[in-house]
Structures are given as structure tokens and as C-alpha cells.
Amino acid sequence: MTENKLIDLETRIAFLEDTADDLNKMVYQQTKKIDDLLAIIQNLSKHMKQVQSDISDIKPMDEVPPHY
């Protein structure tokens, strides 16, 4: 009876270790994906700021000259 309990505990520990390893892999992958997405967001933000700056420098063709 004690041997069966020991085998059961060892089986549960092995399962828990596998689960912990799987969760660690998932957390690593999610962290990497979040880092990648943050880098993309930063690049897009820089690009949008540049586009906004470029747009503000463009004078519209139908703008009334200042002497009117």
C-alpha cells in the first residue's frame, strides 16, 4: 500500500514538473511576442510622428496667400 502511494506521488510530481515546464515555455513565448509587438508599436509611433511632421510642412494648393 505504501509503495502504491509513493508511485502515485512520483507520478503526480512528474506531471506537475511537465506542467511547470510547459507553462514556463508559454510565458517565455508570450514575453517574446509582447517584446516584438512593443517594438512594432514604437516603430509605428515614430513613423506616424514623421508623417504628421511631413504633413504639417505641406502647404495646401488652395491656400490663400498672406497678402489677400
Side-chain angles (χ1 to χ4, degrees), residues 12-30:
R12 289 180 185 200
I13 289 172
F15 176 75
L16 290 173
E17 286 175 342
D18 287 344
T19 302
D21 288 342
D22 290 343
L23 290 172
N24 282 333
K25 289 175 188 174
M26 236 187 273
V27 168
Y28 171 77
Q29 291 170 350
Q30 287 177 345

Side-chain angles (χ1 to χ4, degrees), residues 42-54:
Q42 288 174 344
N43 287 336
L44 285 172
S45 178
K46 287 178 188 176
H47 180 71
M48 289 301 297
K49 286 178 184 175
Q50 182 62 44
V51 167
Q52 286 175 339
S53 174
D54 292 347

Side-chain angles (χ1 to χ4, degrees), residues 24-41:
N24 282 333
K25 289 175 188 174
M26 236 187 273
V27 168
Y28 171 77
Q29 291 170 350
Q30 287 177 345
T31 302
K32 186 176 179 332
K33 186 68 172 179
I34 289 170
D35 290 342
D36 293 345
L37 291 171
L38 286 173
I40 290 170
I41 289 170

